[in-house]
Amino acid sequence: MKNKMHIISLLIGIVFMVGCNSDKPLQITHKNDFQKYLSTKENNKLKNIEKDIDFWEKKYNEAPNQFTYLLTLSGLYSQRFEIDGAIQDLLHSETLLLECNKRVNGEKAGIHRSIAKNYISQHRFREALSHLEKAYKLGENKKGTQKMLFDVYMELGNYDLAEEKLTAIKDFKDFDYLIRLAKWNDHKGDLDTAIQVMEKAMVMVEKTKNEDLKLWLYSNIADFYGHAGRIQESYDYYLKTLAIDVNNTYALKGIAWISFSYERNTAQALEIINYIESKHLVPDLYLLKADIYDYNGNTKEKQLALNDYFAVLSKHNYGDMYNKYNALLYAETPGETEKAFALANKEIMNRPTPESYDLLAWTYFNNGDYKRAHDIIKKHTLNKSHEPLILYHNELILKANNVLDEDNSHKNELVESIYELGPNLEKQIRSI
């Protein structure tokens, strides 16, 4: 459920495959559809969360022995992080959860699951796994723990264990199972089945009044439709997301990506991104802007955007959340190879997935060590991932080693994935 132009489609999490005739792309977006969402407006959801934080902090100060108040506060800070992107809220949520866990001597499975959820958001997957294993041993709501174990095993590349957990929670009437089944099919490269499963989940959710689930489903199925080249449907579901939540920055980023990568309308894409920046400031917005400026040939503005990106990372503690993107940037920047190697190896330690090994292989490739890069992809990425960026890197590494042929080439898939990878790579892909 997620990618980057080089860097960007990784972040946005928009994994699209589309046959792309870039000469005359169809007009998909219409400013009249979303202009009303690009104006400063009061975020009632955020306002209510902040009122609740004030209320529960006062309650806790009056009765500091009530640890359950901390649980409530932790959830509120986590919700605020989802809205405004302020990493300090996620870190404060963690602090509150750890205090709760200490007060109950680590004997509440629900608290372990909450800590694991927080660590997943921080990309601290091994620590998340540790807490989920403790939750499972404690026994309370084992099915809920199994669902989260599936999520973490997928992030860690433990696909056999992930499949075991998916089988253990099998229930076609359970929304949580369906969305994980869709993710599993997408991982296997069976996108058609993944979409069918998501559509079943959508039918289920639309029978309820749960607006939060609708928001999640509409925005994610928009990604899936884009992945399948169904750009109009992708756009329509981003609009449906915004119709429920006028401040939904994820959907706005999706529309910005359609504007940039499909329509090549960089002015409109930048307008949307600049608006999001005023509401939800996260580092990846600057990477997207850098990609857009790169496409426009505006080297100065591109560098300024990258400077802003690194400045935000330096100012706040994002931990390992941006290692992947930094490794890609450093791998392709002369003089920064050692930083790229360090981050790639750290990612492999954190999560030994094909995506992490790809970072290492790509760093060796950019450093001119084609044989070492080839050795890594033979063992860790070839035929082990359907991610277009990995396929692109594999293609160039195979070509550099003079072993690219009709049997192992994925050029056709890459041409179909230009929309996902972004227009900056189109020329390189077509010239392979």
Side-chain angles (χ1 to χ4, degrees):
M1 299 184 187
K2 58 206 171 311
N3 247 8
K4 156 194 160 280
M5 157 260 342
H6 230 24
I7 296 188
I8 268 327
S9 49
L10 281 168
L11 297 143
I12 310 188
I14 305 177
V15 183
F16 299 135
M17 285 186 175
V18 60
C20 183
N21 180 347
S22 60
D23 294 332
K24 288 187 177 181
L26 295 175
Q27 180 73 26
I28 297 293
T29 66
H30 298 280
K31 202 164 184 178
N32 288 339
D33 295 335
F34 58 86
Q35 182 65 51
K36 58 187 174 184
Y37 305 120
L38 300 182
S39 58
T40 302
K41 57 188 75 67
E42 189 171 41
N43 190 325
N44 290 326
K45 187 174 182 180
L46 179 60
K47 185 178 179 181
N48 290 335
I49 288 172
E50 290 175 342
K51 283 183 179 178
D52 287 343
I53 287 174
D54 289 340
F55 173 80
W56 287 105
E57 283 184 340
K58 288 176 183 176
K59 290 269 288 184
Y60 176 71
N61 290 334
E62 293 169 358
N65 61 317
Q66 296 294 323
F67 76 88
T68 55
Y69 295 169
L70 294 180
L71 286 176
T72 302
L73 280 167
S74 171
L76 290 168
Y77 277 107
S78 181
Q79 290 176 47
R80 191 165 75 175
F81 165 74
E82 294 295 331
I83 293 174
D84 62 16
I87 189 64
Q88 58 266 28
D89 282 339
L90 187 63
L91 298 177
H92 188 53
S93 175
E94 175 198 352
T95 299
L96 296 176
L97 287 170
L98 292 177
E99 175 62 23
C100 288
N101 197 44
K102 181 179 178 182
R103 297 229 192 153
V104 299
N105 298 314
E107 295 178 355
K108 296 289 185 182
I111 295 177
H112 284 294
R113 281 192 297 272
S114 294
I115 295 171
K117 182 180 179 181
N118 183 286
Y119 284 162
I120 289 170
S121 296
Q122 294 188 51
H123 290 201
R124 294 163 62 181
F125 301 110
R126 292 192 183 278
E127 292 170 271
L129 177 60
S130 175
H131 281 279
L132 290 174
E133 288 172 341
K134 291 174 183 176
Y136 192 77
K137 287 180 181 178
L138 288 167
E140 178 266 327
N141 189 9
K142 278 194 171 185
K143 191 170 185 180
T145 303
Q146 287 174 316
K147 292 173 181 178
M148 294 187 68
L149 280 168
F150 168 83
D151 299 335
V152 170
Y153 285 140
M154 289 293 289
E155 295 291 348
L156 291 173
N158 294 333
Y159 302 122
D160 290 342
L161 290 176
E163 188 174 18
E164 284 183 18
K165 292 304 176 187
L166 188 64
T167 301
I169 65 171
K170 185 176 181 179
D171 179 358
F172 286 97
K173 295 181 180 180
D174 182 1
F175 173 83
D176 290 338
Y177 170 72
L178 290 178
I179 61 175
R180 287 169 171 84
L181 179 62
K183 182 175 182 177
W184 178 252
N185 280 286
D186 187 40
H187 160 72
K188 293 193 303 179
D190 188 353
L191 181 58
D192 289 341
T193 299
I195 289 175
Q196 290 170 12
V197 172
M198 286 287 279
E199 288 172 340
K200 287 181 180 178
M202 184 161 58
V203 171
M204 185 182 299
V205 166
E206 288 183 333
K207 292 179 181 178
T208 73
K209 295 182 180 180
N210 192 322
E211 298 293 89
D212 288 335
L213 282 185
K214 289 179 182 178
L215 280 172
W216 186 93
L217 191 58
Y218 289 163
S219 59
N220 279 276
I221 205 166
D223 291 351
F224 273 80
Y225 284 140
H227 191 171
R230 296 159 64 174
I231 310 301
Q232 181 66 59
E233 289 166 281
S234 177
Y235 176 63
D236 291 343
Y237 273 88
Y238 286 133
L239 291 177
K240 289 189 74 168
T241 303
L242 288 164
I244 297 174
D245 177 9
V246 298
N247 294 290
N248 194 284
T249 56
Y250 187 89
L252 285 174
K253 274 196 285 188
I255 294 173
W257 188 257
I258 293 172
S259 300
F260 169 50
S261 192
Y262 186 75
E263 297 176 336
R264 312 296 169 94
N265 186 342
T266 56
Q268 180 169 284
L270 282 170
E271 180 184 359
I272 297 171
I273 295 302
N274 286 334
Y275 172 74
I276 297 171
E277 190 179 317
S278 71
K279 310 293 285 187
H280 183 88
L281 182 56
V282 289
D284 57 272
L285 291 176
Y286 294 117
L287 289 179
L288 178 50
K289 289 173 78 171
D291 284 345
I292 294 171
Y293 289 130
D294 188 29
Y295 179 76
N296 284 342
N298 194 331
T299 304
K300 181 180 178 180
E301 290 297 331
K302 174 189 174 182
Q303 190 57 53
L304 289 174
L306 290 175
N307 291 345
D308 287 339
Y309 167 75
F310 283 111
V312 173
L313 289 186
S314 177
K315 186 176 180 181
H316 301 287
N317 177 24
Y318 286 95
D320 294 329
M321 293 172 69
Y322 287 86
N323 286 351
K324 178 168 52 179
Y325 317 122
N326 291 343
L328 287 168
L329 281 170
Y330 289 139
E332 298 169 9
T333 304
E336 302 287 9
T337 302
E338 290 306 313
K339 291 180 182 179
F341 277 127
L343 287 171
N345 282 305
K346 188 173 186 180
E347 279 296 282
I348 289 170
M349 289 293 294
N350 288 344
R351 49 195 304 203
T353 60
E355 288 81 359
S356 296
Y357 280 102
D358 171 66
L359 297 175
L360 186 61
W362 189 238
T363 302
Y364 276 117
F365 172 83
N366 281 277
N367 200 40
D369 194 340
Y370 302 145
K371 183 180 183 305
R372 194 74 173 271
H374 187 220
D375 290 341
I376 293 169
I377 68 170
K378 281 193 297 184
K379 187 174 181 180
H380 296 291
T381 68
L382 287 176
N383 303 315
K384 290 182 170 62
S385 174
H386 299 278
E387 293 292 334
L389 187 63
I390 294 179
L391 296 181
Y392 171 67
H393 290 166
N394 286 346
E395 199 87 352
L396 293 187
I397 292 169
L398 291 171
K399 184 176 181 179
N401 284 276
N402 297 313
V403 291
L404 183 65
D405 56 38
E406 290 185 6
D407 292 331
N408 60 24
S409 175
H410 289 83
K411 182 173 179 177
N412 291 337
E413 293 98 309
L414 287 170
V415 170
E416 292 175 348
S417 301
I418 288 171
Y419 172 55
E420 173 186 352
L421 293 169
N424 290 328
L425 288 184
E426 180 172 11
K427 184 176 180 181
Q428 295 94 311
I429 289 170
R430 294 190 184 278
S431 65
I432 292 175

